[in-house]
Amino acid sequence: MIRATRSWFRRNRTNFAIGFGVVGVGYVASQYVLSKLAEARERMSSDRIAKENLRRRFEQNQEDCTFTVLALLPTATENVLDALRVESITHELQQKKAENLAQSVGAADIASSELSSGPPSVIDDDGRSLQSFQSEGYVHASQSLAEPSPGGTTEGVGQVVVQQRARKSKAKLWNELKISSITRAFTLLYTLSLLTLFTRIQLNLLGRRNYLSSVVSLASHPPNESTINLENHDDDNLEHAYGNDFETNRRYLTFSWWLLHRGWKDIMAKVEVSVREVFGSLSPREDITLERLSELVLQVRKKVEGSTETERRNGKWLSYLLPPLEQEDYVLRESGMSGSATPPTTADSPRMPLRRLLDETSDLIDSPPFTHVLTKLLDAGFSVLVDEKLRLQAFKLLPESSLGGNRIQEVSGDETEAETKTKVANILAVLTRQAHSIGLGTNAEEKVNEYLRAMEQERDLEGFAAIVYSSNFEFEAPTTSSAEKGDDKEGARLKPEDLSPSGAMEHGESLADVSLVEPGFENAWGKATEHSG
């Protein structure tokens, strides 16, 4: 029996060898496949976590941008309101009206003369217009005229303003009121739009650097390593190598000082010239339709931004947002910073992080996508001002959103929306009040800045921010050899070209050089997150 069994095994040993070989190969292959599947699942999980982390960082960054704009906006608003004292002119016009009434009918008959019947007079029109300017109490503290002191004398800025305008006629005051109120509202809209976009660039550039710094920091330490991180100011500090040090970020953010204290003046001068050319011949007592007003506003915008698409794309806004190279140190000193924005460098040393940040910011501001998004923000802001506020408060028409498909609103009798008219003075009164609404910041607890909210609802703004946040990672790589010490596993999952909006941006190519950016930026955020793995 044993001999027969041994003989059978001997005869079939080849088959047994082949069978065991097949089983062994199958086992090894199955284990290899299972390990690859586990690795793929782990990679997919890591990619999903990285993508979600990137999305959360980006969304938090945009919220920070909103709070930053609201915190900085009151500074620009106060400067603009101080420069264009509409309320002071209104107060002086009221004084002139009172003087004219006193001279014509005497102090005892002023009340009865104002209520007398008959056709509306120039004085009556002016009185109603002037009352509308202060109907809601929008008088800025820096613009209110000083009250008479107990001794009967006036003090403060109001006295100086009145003395300077003592010899101005009523017509000149109305013209000055017209130009100042329109210029002030438009200047604040341009300032708000530029501040919103500039803050998006600044915080998303810093957010991108912070994200890359965290990725490199994770890659430089093994996952299972238990260490205590202490502050490191040595040359091997990866955060400093990637420009993520607090001092650099603080100095870079202070450059918003230029727009808040200098850039708005140039904007105001440019807007004022355009307003005088377009609205100069318009009388405050003239009747005007909403359609005509929209055409005049569009003319002003064309003079400021450019009348054609080519002119708008080639528009230069850099001088309003960043100082010239020779004045960068002045901005740092005025902001309470020390040091130089352009430190001396040698031929074999890299440029300092602050210099790189400012250069990339300049490239972004001069790029066509910047002017495209700025135009969208201005469209949103002027739409709120003209199509909502002026439409409702000056023309007494319902908002377009409440009309639904019926674009023609019946006003009274046979009069339609296109034929509805109002006095220019009523429009000036609404613009005077809306200037304060445009400049609402964090100090307005009970109100929301509707203009900023409308601008932030523009999808192009989020798309532009996503492009800034997710592109040009190759410029952030340090040139020192210390950055090459870390393990490259994390870096292999988050490659710079994968984080760019297109997923295949060439090295050395900046956003300003991208000519294939989609005009509407509809897919910018999707592309930025789709390839973030």
Side-chain angles (χ1 to χ4, degrees):
M1 183 68 182
I2 296 176
R3 183 179 300 176
T5 303
R6 186 181 302 145
S7 175
W8 182 81
F9 273 110
R10 186 179 296 112
R11 289 194 308 269
N12 294 280
R13 62 174 177 261
T14 302
N15 295 332
F16 277 112
I18 295 175
F20 283 123
V22 171
V23 172
V25 171
Y27 176 78
V28 172
S30 63
Q31 291 298 315
Y32 176 79
V33 171
L34 290 176
S35 65
K36 287 300 181 180
L37 290 175
E39 183 180 347
R41 283 196 299 268
E42 182 182 358
R43 185 185 302 111
M44 292 174 61
S45 177
S46 300
D47 292 347
R48 185 174 63 255
I49 294 174
K51 184 183 299 184
E52 186 61 27
N53 182 35
L54 179 61
R55 182 188 295 273
R56 285 198 306 268
R57 283 174 175 265
F58 178 80
E59 292 175 351
Q60 180 61 47
N61 225 40
Q62 308 322 302
E63 293 180 4
D64 294 341
C65 290
T66 300
F67 291 124
T68 302
V69 171
L70 290 174
L72 297 176
L73 186 57
T75 301
T77 301
E78 185 172 355
N79 291 334
V80 174
L81 296 181
D82 287 342
L84 298 170
R85 299 175 176 272
V86 176
E87 286 80 4
S88 300
I89 305 175
T90 304
H91 184 81
E92 187 172 354
L93 279 170
Q94 289 176 333
Q95 287 183 333
K96 281 187 172 292
K97 177 197 171 185
E99 293 173 0
N100 293 337
L101 288 174
Q103 293 175 359
S104 60
V105 297
D109 300 330
I110 290 180
S112 60
S113 64
E114 289 183 344
L115 298 175
S116 60
S117 59
S121 63
V122 174
I123 294 178
D124 294 335
D125 288 340
D126 292 343
R128 286 193 295 269
S129 300
L130 290 172
Q131 290 174 1
S132 64
F133 271 88
Q134 295 183 347
S135 60
E136 298 184 14
Y138 282 103
V139 180
H140 195 263
S142 62
Q143 294 180 302
S144 58
L145 295 176
E147 296 293 335
S149 62
T153 60
T154 57
E155 299 176 356
V157 179
Q159 182 181 12
V160 177
V161 173
V162 172
Q163 290 177 354
Q164 290 176 348
R165 298 198 180 107
R167 297 183 180 180
K168 288 187 177 180
S169 65
K170 191 175 183 180
K172 289 184 178 179
L173 287 175
W174 270 109
N175 185 68
E176 186 176 347
L177 178 66
K178 175 187 65 179
I179 300 300
S180 297
S181 58
I182 298 175
T183 301
R184 188 171 74 170
F186 288 6
T187 300
L188 285 171
L189 275 179
Y190 278 100
T191 303
L192 175 59
S193 302
L194 289 171
L195 180 62
T196 300
L197 200 47
F198 185 61
T199 304
R200 282 295 197 285
I201 292 177
Q202 282 189 310
L203 295 189
N204 281 289
L205 282 179
L206 295 181
R208 183 188 70 190
R209 298 166 69 85
N210 182 49
Y211 178 76
L212 181 59
S213 176
S214 65
V215 169
V216 174
S217 178
L218 288 174
S220 62
H221 299 287
N224 298 326
E225 180 182 3
S226 178
T227 59
I228 299 177
N229 294 325
L230 301 178
E231 187 176 0
N232 183 7
H233 292 287
D234 297 332
D235 294 336
D236 62 345
N237 191 341
L238 291 178
E239 289 193 356
H240 284 208
Y242 279 82
N244 191 33
D245 59 291
F246 174 77
E247 185 62 24
T248 297
N249 297 348
R250 191 163 68 101
R251 293 170 68 192
Y252 173 62
L253 291 175
T254 58
F255 276 87
S256 59
W257 182 94
W258 183 259
L259 173 62
L260 301 178
H261 295 85
R262 292 291 184 271
W264 70 267
K265 295 182 180 179
D266 298 331
I267 297 173
M268 182 185 68
K270 190 173 184 179
V271 170
E272 184 175 2
V273 171
S274 303
V275 169
R276 289 187 182 277
E277 292 178 0
V278 176
F279 288 90
S281 59
L282 208 61
S283 172
R285 288 178 292 174
E286 182 178 340
D287 291 328
I288 187 173
T289 62
L290 180 60
E291 182 180 1
R292 174 60 178 162
L293 176 63
S294 301
E295 293 176 356
L296 295 177
V297 173
L298 183 59
Q299 290 181 25
V300 173
R301 290 192 58 187
K302 286 182 176 180
K303 291 181 179 295
V304 176
E305 306 166 36
S307 58
T308 64
E309 182 66 25
T310 303
E311 291 181 1
R312 287 191 291 271
R313 288 178 63 88
N314 296 331
K316 300 300 180 183
W317 300 92
L318 180 61
S319 60
Y320 305 112
L321 297 172
L322 287 177
L325 186 63
E326 61 273 8
Q327 295 193 35
E328 289 180 350
D329 295 340
Y330 167 77
V331 171
L332 291 176
R333 289 194 303 269
E334 289 295 318
S335 304
M337 300 288 107
S338 60
S340 173
T342 312
T345 57
T346 59
D348 57 348
S349 63
R351 292 183 299 174
M352 297 300 289
L354 178 59
R355 182 74 265 153
R356 294 206 308 268
L357 281 170
L358 292 174
D359 290 345
E360 187 172 359
T361 303
S362 301
D363 292 339
L364 289 168
I365 294 173
D366 282 336
S367 65
F370 178 91
T371 57
H372 170 81
V373 178
L374 179 61
T375 301
K376 291 291 186 179
L377 298 186
L378 291 170
D379 290 343
F382 277 100
S383 177
V384 174
L385 179 62
V386 178
D387 298 333
E388 295 183 19
K389 302 303 179 181
L390 288 174
R391 178 187 179 89
L392 177 63
Q393 300 178 19
F395 292 90
K396 309 302 180 184
L397 297 173
L398 294 176
E400 293 183 354
S401 57
S402 64
L403 297 179
N406 184 17
R407 303 293 297 177
I408 303 298
Q409 176 185 354
E410 296 293 339
V411 181
S412 61
D414 296 332
E415 187 182 15
T416 62
E417 173 185 336
E419 299 172 348
T420 304
K421 295 183 179 180
T422 190
K423 297 288 185 183
V424 174
N426 295 333
I427 296 174
L428 301 182
V430 176
L431 289 175
T432 300
R433 296 192 296 268
Q434 286 304 310
H436 297 266
S437 300
I438 298 172
L440 281 178
T442 53
N443 53 357
E445 298 179 357
E446 300 180 357
K447 296 182 179 179
V448 177
N449 193 320
E450 299 179 58
Y451 296 87
L452 179 59
R453 182 174 59 184
M455 292 178 183
E456 291 186 337
Q457 289 176 352
E458 284 292 326
R459 297 180 61 189
D460 291 354
L461 177 63
E462 187 176 14
F464 181 77
I467 291 177
V468 175
Y469 192 87
S470 60
S471 63
N472 291 353
F473 271 80
E474 58 270 22
F475 289 118
E476 305 297 342
T479 56
T480 58
S481 59
S482 61
E484 300 175 359
K485 296 179 180 179
D487 189 2
D488 194 42
K489 293 181 181 179
E490 185 73 16
R493 291 201 302 267
L494 297 174
K495 298 179 181 179
E497 57 267 22
D498 292 335
L499 286 172
S500 65
S502 61
M505 184 174 289
E506 298 291 339
H507 287 280
E509 183 180 27
S510 66
L511 177 63
D513 299 325
V514 177
S515 59
L516 298 178
V517 178
E518 296 179 1
F521 291 101
E522 288 86 355
N523 300 321
W525 171 240
K527 289 183 178 180
T529 56
E530 179 182 359
H531 300 284
S532 61

